[in-house]
């Protein structure tokens, strides 16, 4: 039971890691990607449609990436090049994404009598490694997206802290003027990180529809984009912190699902477990001191004339 | 000044039309003639008294939640949790109304319930402001998360203490007429909550622009360090601004529960918070502008419903989100153009001067 709980926790952490690491990279460059909820939803929808129409989960995930990119690109253009408010633009895109996904779902499939299903991504047991007791089934019997996350975490850390481009990204969030003086296009760097967030957020969204549920509903994301957003804050804008934050959330979510399935709701209010990740975010935000907030987070950059 | 207002009207109108146009084009995907649908819904809206009332009815909670966002926005704070404070207000409103229903005169009941709903929304807001002031917690994040907590609290109460006496669905008992907000125009559902909303908007405008507190709030918003230097305690402002903001969102719960739903059901009006945010942007956080922008959003919602019920064609309900989303996005983009127009005019003026 513990093993299946841990396994589920890791599974539920996968999209949150995609999302929060995307958010870490973008926020380091000064872009608060508040459209993340919409990007997740677009990804979930794109992934479902791609998989359903072609029967290939691979194409589905490509479609998810594309849908996430579209949402991120709109967000990026409006916030970076038209210099509009990041929180406000994000909210508009989240509303719009909900409208578009539901609408296009209807355009494509009408009102189906039975819910449309696709087969979720299969678990892939890694030879040898999956035979290790406890660790094996938890870490090495997951779907492909979870394995991608294992690579993504060190890659993101390496990109941000060990490469010159990572330094550029971080400087863009701290001191865009200096980056500009060095002859680097501040807005291009920011736009790149937002697009990257679109790709990763799209995959994260696809995890829910293609990787896990095998279907699409309008409230499939249900605020998990915001959780990824929150984890980025709690993880102090660092991929390592994002991992720590995600583990906590993955675990609470797994417990919530477990409690629902065994009918623990008759002893405990189920709602408490459902609200737990959100409560934890609040508690952690309050208790955590000394944040390294990127200095220019959320501030559009205008060149001095 | 005059050209500024003209710019605002022109750019906003262009943005709204562009949003509707694009939503109309989306209808083509379902092989629906958008012209026919729009003409039908607009015509019905303006000729049918009941439908016209619905526009203002839908605008009522939106005025409150938009004011809630705008009020903290003026202090450069983000209250993204209006939805949660709205739920808190709704819970308080239904719980107290059920308790007092039939036991006290309607007027007394409504005043008490209104105050309680506003207070519970306000306390939830004040808590966010307090966490911000005392622990420097990010108010954006905390308010965002608080909505989901409020939703869980509401679902829990609907399943237990507030569950209907029949015990079938997770919803409350219905209120009797004695606890309803009186209807303002016969033959519609429009209740006096709308007047309350408009008065609140005017009150917030006076509070922001004509009182010392409003001045301090705006001072903290425009330059927090300068405000601190001049002796304004920004921590107090955080709590006060969030309390008032939450109270406004809570009041929306009151008007919806006692004026429209007359009961509490799961997940009701789940978009009222984000729509309020959109409206506040549309109105540039101006309380008076919010009244008109809310009516516009109310009209969009009613138009969407009319389209859905239009005989012969099958317009999905998601058209409302689509219209609101596009309009919001285009209004945001129009800010860029307005700014651009202003700059160009300023440059010309300076050139003439030189």
């Amino acid at each position: 039971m513990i093993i299946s709980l841990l396994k589920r926790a890791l599974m539920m952490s996968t999209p949150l890691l995609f999302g929060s690491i995307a958010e870490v990279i973008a926020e380091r460059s000064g872009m608060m990607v508040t459209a993340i909820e919409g990007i997740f939803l677009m990804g979930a929808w794109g992934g479902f449609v791609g998989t359903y129409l072609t029967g290939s989960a691979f194409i589905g995930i490509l479609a998810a990436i594309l849908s996430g990119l579209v949402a991120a690109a709109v967000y990026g253009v409006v916030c970076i090049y038209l210099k509009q408010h990041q929180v406000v633009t994000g909210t508009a895109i989240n509303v719009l994404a909900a409208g578009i996904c539901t609408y296009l779902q209807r355009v494509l499939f009408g009102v189906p009598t039975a819910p449309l299903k696709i087969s979720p991504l299969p678990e892939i047991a890694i030879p040898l490694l999956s035979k290790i007791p406890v660790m094996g089934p938890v870490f090495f019997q997951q779907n492909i997206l979870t394995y991608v996350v294992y690579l993504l975490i060190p890659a993101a850390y390496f990109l941000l802290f060990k490469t010159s481009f990572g330094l550029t990204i971080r400087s863009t969030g701290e001191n865009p003027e200096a980056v500009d003086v060095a002859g680097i296009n501040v807005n291009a760097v920011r736009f790149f990180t937002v697009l990257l967030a679109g790709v990763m957020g799209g995959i994260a969204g696809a995890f829910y529809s293609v990787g896990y549920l095998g279907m699409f509903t309008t409230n499939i994301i249900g605020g998990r984009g915001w959780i990824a957003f929150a984890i980025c804050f709690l993880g102090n804008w660092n991929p390592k912190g994002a991992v720590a934050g995600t583990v906590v959330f993955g675990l609470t979510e797994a417990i919530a699902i477990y409690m629902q399935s065994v009918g623990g709701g008759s002893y405990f209010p189920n709602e408490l477990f459902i609200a737990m990740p959100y409560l934890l975010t609040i508690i952690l935000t309050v208790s955590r001191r000394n944040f390294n907030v990127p200095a220019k987070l959320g501030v559009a950059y205008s060149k001095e004339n | 000044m005059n050209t500024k207002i003209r710019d605002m009207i022109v750019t906003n109108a262009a943005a709204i039309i562009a949003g509707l146009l694009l939503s109309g084009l989306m209808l083509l995907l379902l092989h629906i003639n958008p012209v026919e649908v729009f003409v039908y819904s607009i015509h019905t809206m303006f000729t049918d008294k009941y439908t016209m009332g619905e526009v203002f009815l839908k605008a009522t909670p939106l005025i409150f939640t938009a004011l809630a966002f705008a009020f903290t926005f003026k202090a450069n704070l983000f209250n993204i949790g209006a939805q949660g404070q709205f739920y808190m207000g709704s819970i308080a409103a239904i719980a107290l109304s059920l308790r007092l229903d039939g036991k006290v005169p309607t007027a007394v009941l409504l005043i008490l319930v209104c105050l309680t709903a506003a207070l519970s929304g306000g306390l939830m807001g004040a808590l966010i402001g307090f966490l911000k002031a005392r622990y420097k917690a990010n108010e954006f994040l905390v308010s965002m998360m608080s909505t989901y907590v409020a939703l869980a609290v509401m679902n829990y109460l609907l399943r237990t203490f507030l569950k209907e006496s029949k015990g079938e669905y997770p919803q409350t008992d219905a209120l009797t007429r004695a606890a309803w907000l009186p209807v303002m125009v016969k033959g519609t559902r429009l209740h006096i909550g709308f007047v309350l909303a408009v008065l609140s908007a005017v009150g917030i405008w006076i509070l922001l622009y004509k009182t010392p507190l409003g001045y301090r709030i705006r001072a903290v918003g425009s330059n927090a360090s300068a405000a601190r230097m001049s002796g304004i305690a920004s921590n107090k402002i955080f709590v006060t601004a969030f309390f008032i903001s939450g109270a406004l969102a809570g009041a929306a719960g009151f008007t919806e529960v006692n004026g429209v739903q007359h009961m509490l059901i799961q997940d009701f009006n789940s978009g009222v918070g984000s729509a309020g945010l959109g409206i506040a942007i549309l109105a540039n956080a101006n309380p008076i502008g919010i009244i008109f922008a809310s009516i516009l959003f109310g009209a969009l919602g009613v138009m969407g419903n009319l389209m859905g019920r239009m005989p012969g064609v099958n317009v999905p309900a998601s058209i409302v989100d689509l219209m609101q989303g596009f309009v919001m996005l285009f209004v945001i983009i129009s800010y860029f153009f307005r700014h651009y127009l202003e700059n160009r005019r300023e440059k010309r003026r300076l050139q003439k001067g030189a």
Side-chain angles (χ1 to χ4, degrees):
Chain A
M1 186 215 109
I2 294 284
I3 288 177
S4 76
L5 198 71
L6 289 177
K7 187 175 164 177
R8 170 144 256 168
L10 183 63
M11 192 175 108
M12 299 316 285
S13 307
T14 302
L16 295 178
L17 272 169
F18 266 108
S20 56
I21 288 177
E23 199 66 55
V24 166
I25 296 173
E27 293 198 13
R28 280 284 183 161
S29 82
M31 295 302 296
M32 227 165 26
V33 185
T34 44
I36 190 82
E37 182 84 7
I39 292 173
F40 268 38
L41 188 64
M42 291 284 280
W45 180 76
F48 173 81
V49 171
T51 312
Y52 188 85
L53 294 182
T54 64
S56 151
F58 177 72
I59 296 179
I61 289 171
L62 283 184
I65 291 175
L66 201 67
S67 319
L69 262 177
V70 170
V74 174
Y75 174 80
V77 167
V78 175
C79 291
I80 299 169
Y81 294 104
L82 304 185
K83 302 191 193 338
Q84 296 308 305
H85 204 287
Q86 295 185 2
V87 173
V88 160
T89 310
T91 309
I93 289 179
N94 293 338
V95 171
L96 189 57
I100 284 183
C101 291
T102 321
Y103 187 81
L104 292 182
Q105 183 79 357
R106 168 74 178 269
V107 169
L108 285 174
F109 304 113
V111 189
T113 41
L116 304 171
K117 293 288 247 180
I118 49 177
S119 48
L121 286 178
E123 281 177 5
I124 302 169
I126 302 223
L128 293 178
L129 288 176
S130 61
K131 296 283 188 298
I132 307 170
V134 187
M135 258 189 73
V138 173
F139 286 97
F140 301 109
Q141 232 172 66
Q142 297 276 5
N143 69 39
I144 179 97
L145 292 177
T146 307
Y147 298 130
V148 175
V149 159
Y150 295 161
L151 304 177
L152 184 70
I153 300 161
Y157 187 82
F158 184 78
L159 170 77
L160 269 180
F161 298 105
K162 305 287 172 202
T163 65
S164 72
F165 185 58
L167 181 64
T168 307
I169 291 177
R170 286 182 290 135
S171 315
T172 305
E174 295 293 341
N175 192 343
E177 286 81 9
V179 173
D180 198 356
V181 169
I184 298 166
N185 186 335
V186 170
N187 286 344
V189 172
R190 289 185 167 181
F191 197 54
F192 173 78
T193 64
V194 168
L195 290 182
L196 196 61
V199 171
M200 288 161 67
I203 299 176
F207 178 89
Y208 291 108
S209 58
V210 182
Y212 167 51
L213 289 172
M215 53 184 268
F216 175 82
T217 59
T218 318
N219 52 4
I220 190 167
I221 303 301
R224 291 199 192 84
W226 287 115
I227 297 258
F229 185 84
I231 290 172
C232 164
F233 272 70
L234 301 176
N236 207 12
W237 291 271
N238 187 317
K240 284 196 279 189
V243 174
T246 315
V247 168
V248 178
F249 281 96
L251 212 53
T252 43
E253 194 160 9
I255 293 174
I257 292 174
Y258 175 75
M259 293 307 277
Q260 270 168 325
S261 66
V262 299
S266 42
Y267 307 106
F268 297 102
N270 249 338
E271 290 83 0
L272 184 64
F273 289 103
I274 293 168
M276 196 56 87
Y278 308 100
L279 276 171
L280 269 176
T281 314
I282 295 175
I283 294 166
L284 292 172
T285 321
V286 168
S287 56
R288 174 107 209 211
R289 295 295 166 81
N290 305 322
F291 279 115
N292 294 325
V293 193
K296 293 290 185 238
L297 183 60
V299 183
Y301 180 69
S302 326
K303 226 176 187 159
E304 298 274 335
N305 287 322
Chain B
M1 190 61 199
N2 241 339
T3 50
K4 254 190 182 172
I5 291 178
R6 201 191 59 203
D7 274 0
M8 192 182 82
I9 293 172
V10 170
T11 50
N12 269 341
I16 293 162
I17 291 169
L20 293 181
L21 218 59
L22 206 53
S23 318
L25 288 178
M26 298 284 284
L27 285 174
L28 289 176
L29 293 176
L30 283 175
H31 308 292
I32 294 170
N33 179 357
V35 178
E36 188 191 352
V37 172
F38 274 97
V39 166
Y40 168 83
S41 60
I42 292 173
H43 181 256
T44 316
M45 192 166 68
F46 281 109
T47 49
D48 181 39
K49 191 170 84 173
Y50 177 82
T51 317
M52 198 70 211
E54 290 293 293
V55 172
F56 296 102
L57 187 77
K58 276 206 170 14
T60 305
L62 298 177
I63 295 177
F64 282 118
T65 49
L67 286 173
F69 178 77
F71 194 75
T72 45
F73 191 66
K74 286 287 178 196
N76 204 16
L77 296 169
F78 287 96
N79 182 9
I80 311 288
Q83 187 74 39
Q85 292 136 24
F86 166 76
Y87 283 147
M88 279 299 161
S90 308
I91 296 168
I94 195 72
L96 191 66
S97 301
L98 285 171
R99 190 59 54 84
L100 297 179
D101 199 351
K103 297 194 181 84
V104 294
T106 301
V108 178
L109 180 144
L110 290 178
I111 291 169
L112 278 177
V113 171
C114 177
L115 291 177
T116 317
L119 187 69
S120 36
L123 287 179
M124 185 161 164
L127 182 66
I128 300 168
F130 171 75
L131 295 178
K132 162 98 183 164
R134 176 76 177 74
Y135 300 102
K136 295 189 168 47
N138 183 297
E139 86 284 2
F140 175 76
L141 206 55
V142 174
S143 61
M144 182 79 228
M145 295 295 131
S146 69
T147 295
Y148 295 99
V149 178
L151 186 64
V153 169
M154 186 167 95
N155 285 339
Y156 174 66
L157 291 175
L158 285 178
R159 202 166 56 83
T160 54
F161 299 106
L162 291 175
K163 194 170 186 173
E164 58 175 354
S165 21
K166 269 193 295 178
E168 278 180 32
Y169 299 104
Q171 58 187 30
T172 66
D173 286 326
L175 297 171
T176 68
R177 263 179 194 282
W180 292 15
L181 271 167
V183 166
M184 217 165 48
V185 184
K186 267 223 166 81
T188 70
R189 293 201 297 164
L190 184 59
H191 55 74
I192 57 168
F194 180 70
V195 177
L196 188 68
V198 171
L199 288 178
S200 304
V202 175
I204 292 296
W205 184 83
I206 293 170
L207 179 63
L208 273 176
Y209 295 99
K210 302 290 172 201
T211 66
L213 175 66
Y215 172 76
R216 286 202 290 270
I217 285 172
R218 288 183 296 123
V220 168
S222 52
N223 190 337
S225 53
R228 197 173 53 244
M229 294 297 182
S230 58
I232 295 172
S234 58
N235 280 352
K236 260 191 210 160
I237 294 292
F238 291 160
V239 180
T240 318
F242 259 101
F243 176 78
I244 295 173
S245 173
L248 287 163
F254 160 68
T255 61
E256 282 302 276
V257 165
N258 290 68
V260 187
Q261 304 283 346
H262 310 304
M263 63 191 303
L264 199 59
I265 46 179
Q266 260 182 334
D267 273 346
F268 86 116
N269 278 18
S270 55
V272 85
S274 53
L277 208 165
I279 289 161
I281 303 159
L282 186 66
N284 206 2
N286 179 315
I288 306 303
I290 282 175
I291 302 173
F292 297 102
S294 300
I295 294 172
L296 171 76
F297 263 54
L300 290 181
V302 168
M303 270 169 67
N305 288 347
L306 282 171
M307 288 177 189
R309 284 203 305 267
M310 187 177 167
V313 279
N314 219 337
V315 182
S318 48
I319 191 75
V320 178
D321 273 343
L322 214 57
M323 288 195 296
Q324 291 185 344
F326 276 131
V327 167
M328 272 161 82
L329 189 65
F330 283 120
V331 166
I332 294 169
I333 293 172
S334 81
Y335 274 104
F336 171 79
F337 286 104
R338 199 185 310 166
H339 192 72
Y340 170 81
L341 284 176
E342 234 167 70
N343 271 352
R344 206 180 56 171
R345 191 170 299 127
E346 190 74 3
K347 261 185 204 157
R348 277 214 194 124
R349 216 169 47 88
L350 287 174
Q351 272 167 356
K352 253 185 212 162

